[in-house]
Amino acid sequence: MGHQAILNPDVPNLLLITDSTRLPGEPFFDAVEAALTGGVDAVLVREKQLDSARLLAFASRLRAITREHGARLIIHSQADIAKAIEADGVHVATEDIGQLPAIRLWLGKAGKGMSFSASCHDEAELAAAHRAGADFALLSPVFPTASHPGASNLGVERFRELANTSPLPVVALGGITPENRGELAGFGVAVIGAILDSRHPGDAARRLA
């Protein structure tokens, strides 16, 4: 089951989660372009600091860039933005897993062909996401992360255990770098800093992909 991620076209192999606060302005879009050239096959727009109007403009620009590279664009939480820009998917936080059926219903025809995914951290959440109709889950944190210092992490062994018994495909998230990527062979991975904090985002993406 652990190899589902690579076989299912809806499940990213290398997902870049956005954080434009790390690279404000044009350098951010340059980094995304380089990462897409390097092998990122999906971008997840997660920009909590942007209001709806700014998010719409930001996501629209990324929609154009991802289309050029044949990559998927997924929107965190805001199904209205996903619908407006014809995104390829909607992703929800753990506490919103129960909202997935309502989101799918609200999207109606616009949601056909979209993927629905959720953030999960354990067996119970993976089961809940499956029941709610998610196509895949981001399972985290695999390694210690800079964004949550001191928080406990799954480790590779526990991640594989959960992933191999999960009722839906999983993508690994949390502290993943080009150096430890090999420990998660057979699974898709999601990153933020490994690409956006790199001096050479394209090279980082190539090594991660």
Side-chain angles (χ1 to χ4, degrees):
M1 207 161 185
H3 291 275
Q4 282 171 297
I6 307 304
L7 303 174
N8 186 332
D10 278 347
V11 182
N13 177 50
L14 178 54
L15 173 73
L16 172 62
I17 300 173
T18 71
D19 179 1
S20 62
T21 63
R22 292 171 189 244
L23 277 175
E26 285 307 307
F28 171 81
F29 294 101
D30 292 344
V32 172
E33 284 261 19
L36 287 163
T37 304
V40 162
D41 61 349
V43 175
L44 171 59
V45 177
R46 184 174 178 274
E47 298 286 332
K48 292 182 174 177
Q49 79 289 357
L50 296 182
D51 61 35
S52 288
R54 284 199 181 93
L55 184 63
L56 183 60
F58 180 87
S60 297
R61 181 148 178 208
L62 285 176
R63 172 72 290 188
I65 295 170
T66 49
R67 273 212 176 108
E68 274 171 36
H69 290 271
R72 298 173 62 77
L73 185 70
I74 301 167
I75 304 295
H76 198 294
S77 303
Q78 294 194 238
D80 54 342
I81 301 276
K83 187 178 187 176
I85 64 160
E86 298 179 357
D88 302 299
V90 175
H91 180 85
V92 297
T94 311
E95 59 270 22
D96 295 326
I97 286 172
Q99 303 296 321
L100 278 175
I103 290 170
R104 202 186 277 265
L105 193 65
W106 180 81
L107 281 165
K109 280 184 185 165
K112 281 211 183 340
M114 276 194 194
S115 65
F116 295 88
S117 52
S119 293
C120 296
H121 311 88
D122 57 34
E123 215 165 339
E125 290 171 5
L126 287 167
H130 179 59
R131 284 195 303 274
D135 297 296
F136 67 91
L138 295 187
L139 182 57
S140 72
V142 182
F143 300 105
T145 69
S147 53
H148 298 90
S152 64
N153 59 291
L154 295 168
V156 175
E157 207 170 305
R158 179 66 180 143
F159 168 82
R160 284 188 173 277
E161 207 175 284
L162 285 169
N164 287 325
T165 55
S166 169
L168 71 173
V170 302
V171 173
L173 169 66
I176 295 160
T177 64
E179 289 71 36
N180 61 28
R181 169 66 175 107
E183 294 178 55
L184 297 165
F187 293 96
V189 297
V191 299
I192 307 171
I195 285 177
L196 294 181
D197 294 343
S198 169
R199 289 174 65 180
H200 303 288
D203 291 344
R206 265 183 286 280
R207 292 172 64 199
L208 286 158

